[in-house]
Amino acid sequence: MNRDSTGRCAAALQRHSRNTRPLRSVTGIVAAALLLTLATACSGSTPGAQAALPDRPAPAAPQRDPGKAPLVPAHGALLGHYYGAGTMAETDARIGRTPAVHLTYHDWTADWAHSPATRADFTDGRIPLINWEPFGIDFDDIIGGELDTDIRRQADGAKALGKPFFLDFAAEMNEEEGWGGHDPEKYVAAYRHIHDIFVARGATNVVWAWCPNVTDSPDAPSVMAYYPGDRYVDWTGVDGYNWGSSDPDFTWQSFEELFADIYGRLARTGKPVIIGEMASDEVGGSKAAWIDGVVPALQTRFPLIKAIVWFDVDKERHWQINSSASALAAYARMAQDPYLNP
């Protein structure tokens, strides 16, 4: 379920749990069906499994002040977008502005540093958010060094960009993707190995975003068990969706209700938070009201959320910003709000 920078899609057959992200795609066919009953149960395990993995020293590099994470706006939050329901020009015209962050998807071997989308982002003043998805990759091979040539190539490409950008490696590890087989120790070891190579190669312009899903897979370790550690993460993050009520296993959730629980866990790290993917359906409530509630919740309830990224595509639900005239009007209002224009 990889989606590259041009928005090409391919079918992926997998189980969703409540509020998991939409199915991804790879090779040109959009995934259109959910095959199994949507699960609503969340893991009851407690955070802390990563305690068995003490931080090992990273290669020598300038240490960032944890209170001054890169790309954090001086005030308010950054607005980001995944363009899946129209061209960038069409979408920006709909909302009356260019979002600050541009989300694209890339598989393990994709040369995302040299992709036209990444280069255009820097030229046009956007911040790339590279979602790097290791489909088909054995995490033991990452940990054991068998894939170091690939990793060094990506690190060198990242360094050559010369400007800060977000890198979100192996997102939603606590949910359906199950990177590393839902083995937190293996996931953390692989993440740290990649990070250390990037630092050793001088790719210190990479801003490391760690983005789990808003809920855990049933019977899988709890989200914070996968946290790589403060030395390895610049921004924490989360992906989450209001799935509406078109399916009896789902209920309408406001923006605040959707993210309240995981925000409390992420906030304990003291890191800024990016919502790497978010959207709302139309069925079960007012999507316009849902969007209108975003900025007030950011201001009063979620002060550490410093960036939000809308997943603008019509897939399992009507995630697109123009699913209705009222939704589009609300989104345009939100996009113009001073809080999202720091």
Side-chain angles (χ1 to χ4, degrees):
M1 305 134 15
N2 172 42
R3 184 181 293 98
D4 64 20
S5 60
T6 64
R8 294 175 298 170
C9 298
L13 308 179
Q14 41 184 284
R15 175 173 51 81
H16 276 198
S17 76
R18 187 169 182 262
N19 290 318
T20 190
R21 71 175 173 185
L23 295 174
R24 298 264 186 252
S25 51
V26 233
T27 62
I29 305 172
V30 175
L34 297 173
L35 299 184
L36 298 178
T37 302
L38 297 164
T40 58
C42 296
S43 170
S45 56
T46 57
Q50 77 273 24
L53 292 165
D55 285 352
R56 48 190 174 82
Q63 293 298 306
R64 289 169 173 158
D65 181 343
K68 298 179 180 178
L71 296 180
V72 175
H75 60 86
L78 304 173
L79 177 65
H81 214 80
Y82 169 71
Y83 293 87
T87 67
M88 297 177 74
E90 290 168 342
T91 303
D92 293 355
R94 286 173 186 147
I95 64 177
R97 63 164 290 192
T98 297
V101 178
H102 179 205
L103 168 63
T104 58
Y105 297 92
H106 306 266
D107 64 22
W108 176 260
T109 60
D111 188 5
W112 38 261
H114 293 92
S115 76
T118 301
R119 297 299 174 125
D121 284 343
F122 283 122
T123 299
D124 297 337
R126 294 181 295 269
I127 303 168
L129 168 55
I130 303 296
N131 190 308
W132 190 15
E133 301 182 307
F135 287 105
I137 298 300
D138 188 331
F139 272 38
D140 286 328
D141 290 341
I142 297 177
I143 297 165
E146 286 86 350
L147 299 175
D148 282 2
T149 298
D150 290 344
I151 299 167
R152 286 193 293 265
R153 175 176 57 81
Q154 298 285 22
D156 291 346
K159 177 183 178 182
L161 290 172
K163 296 179 181 179
F165 67 94
F166 292 110
L167 179 60
D168 182 6
F169 172 72
E172 302 193 13
M173 73 304 297
N174 61 320
E175 223 286 321
E176 61 179 320
E177 303 301 2
W179 308 112
H182 275 152
D183 181 338
E185 183 172 355
K186 184 178 294 186
Y187 175 86
V188 169
Y191 192 106
R192 290 180 175 183
H193 184 79
I194 292 171
H195 177 282
D196 288 350
I197 289 177
F198 271 62
V199 172
R201 304 291 286 191
T204 55
N205 55 313
V206 173
V207 179
W208 295 85
W210 174 75
C211 292
N213 194 69
V214 73
T215 56
D216 303 321
S217 283
D219 303 320
S222 184
V223 56
M224 297 309 294
Y226 299 89
Y227 183 57
D230 290 347
R231 290 176 60 89
Y232 297 88
V233 173
D234 295 310
W235 288 56
T236 60
V238 58
D239 296 350
Y241 295 82
N242 171 34
W243 286 80
S245 61
S246 59
D247 185 291
D249 289 325
F250 291 83
T251 57
W252 183 271
Q253 291 180 289
S254 69
F255 177 82
E256 182 173 346
E257 290 169 338
L258 177 59
F259 292 109
D261 179 70
I262 196 168
Y263 177 83
R265 303 190 217 181
L266 298 175
R268 294 187 191 107
T269 70
K271 303 279 186 178
V273 179
I274 180 171
I275 298 181
E277 296 177 11
M278 66 176 240
S280 174
D281 190 25
E282 289 273 6
V283 180
S286 168
K287 183 171 180 176
W290 195 95
I291 295 169
D292 283 335
V294 171
V295 170
L298 293 176
Q299 292 174 309
T300 63
R301 181 70 175 83
F302 304 134
L304 285 177
I305 295 179
K306 298 300 183 180
I308 60 173
V309 181
W310 191 278
F311 187 70
D312 183 19
V313 63
D314 188 7
K315 291 183 83 272
E316 299 83 3
R317 299 289 192 273
H318 298 300
W319 307 127
Q320 73 273 31
I321 61 173
N322 61 338
S323 54
S324 64
S326 61
L328 180 58
Y331 195 89
R333 286 194 299 272
M334 182 185 75
Q336 297 297 326
D337 193 288
Y339 193 80
L340 296 181
N341 289 269

